[in-house]
Amino acid sequence: MPPPKKPRRTAERILEVTLDLFNRFGEPNVSTTLISAELKISPGNLYYHYPAKDELVNALFGRYEEELNRLLGAADDVRHVEDAWLFFHMLFELIWKHRFLYRDLNDLLFKNRRLETHFQTLLAAKEQAMRHVLSGLHLGGALKMDLRDAAPTANAMVVVVSYWLSYEYVRDPRHALEPERAGAALLRGAFHALSLLLPYLEPASRDHLFKLAGQYQSTP
């Protein structure tokens, strides 16, 4: 079998380095010149694969969108608090992996029509997944909720998921998005999304959620 073609390897490497730079410094602060320098390739080589910075953003977003849609499908399998905890932790891990999208979300949506339309679709998919989580917890006996509460609760969970990293950033702008802070930030995000269910959880499930949250427990 012949080895992979060089252009494919180079294109992959460009995306990996660009994602790292976007996550570290924010997309608006990263130029194609900086990306080329980090890769130690000429700007012309970069433009050969991605003729515009928006194409880099779109390619990275496409990967995130694909991974997110796969993960959201797992919401159908949630039946207990531990299932929900794992689901939300994985969701926040995925968001962290592509955190530049959420760090600079408003700016990116303003500049990029593709992201504007696709993010609206993703919001709808997230809300549907949250409804499936609620339904699954109800079927598993962990949750008792009036049907009228389901839609606003699912929507509130989407808000927490979508803007949690912004909240973390506002709390500590100089350090919040550093890799060493990831673990704590993800656990806080998962707990606060699920804490919206505290009024509806059965006592044993409620206690189990606090146990899973560990040091992030608080008295409601």
Side-chain angles (χ1 to χ4, degrees), residues 40-216:
K40 296 180 173 58
I41 63 175
S42 69
N45 196 356
L46 176 64
Y47 295 145
Y48 171 78
H49 297 284
Y50 299 98
K53 187 179 173 184
D54 272 356
E55 294 197 23
L56 286 163
V57 173
N58 290 340
L60 291 171
F61 175 77
R63 290 183 167 196
Y64 166 69
E65 186 175 31
E66 183 178 338
E67 289 184 65
L68 179 63
N69 282 326
R70 284 201 303 269
L71 176 57
L72 292 180
D76 294 341
D77 300 324
V78 171
R79 291 294 181 273
H80 306 289
V81 163
E82 196 146 351
D83 301 331
W85 178 261
L86 177 61
F87 173 76
F88 276 95
H89 193 70
M90 292 173 66
L91 182 55
F92 275 100
E93 281 186 338
L94 181 58
I95 290 172
W96 179 267
K97 179 181 173 183
H98 301 86
R99 58 193 176 277
F100 82 93
L101 291 167
Y102 290 85
R103 171 178 178 163
D104 306 303
L105 182 57
N106 291 349
D107 183 64
L108 285 169
L109 295 184
F110 178 76
K111 295 188 302 185
N112 190 309
R113 177 63 178 166
R114 180 173 184 268
L115 262 64
E116 179 186 344
T117 56
H118 281 241
F119 247 101
Q120 292 171 1
T121 302
L122 287 186
L123 281 179
K126 285 180 188 176
E127 186 163 353
Q128 183 180 39
M130 299 305 113
R131 288 175 182 250
H132 288 168
V133 167
L134 299 180
S135 176
L137 289 172
H138 178 75
L139 288 172
L143 188 76
K144 283 189 176 179
M145 175 181 282
D146 191 299
L147 286 176
R148 294 173 298 180
D149 295 334
T153 302
N155 185 258
M157 294 172 86
V158 172
V159 171
V160 171
V161 167
S162 299
Y163 289 98
W164 181 255
L165 287 185
S166 294
Y167 173 71
E168 289 281 341
Y169 184 75
V170 170
R171 289 177 69 240
D172 188 4
R174 294 184 181 275
H175 307 105
L177 299 184
E178 295 299 318
E180 61 270 17
R181 301 294 183 95
L186 298 180
L187 288 171
R188 280 194 295 269
F191 175 68
H192 279 274
L194 286 170
S195 71
L196 294 166
L197 305 183
L198 289 175
Y200 310 103
L201 288 174
E202 293 293 329
S205 294
R206 189 171 179 274
D207 290 343
H208 192 47
L209 174 59
F210 280 117
K211 182 179 178 181
L212 288 168
Q215 62 180 309
Y216 306 107

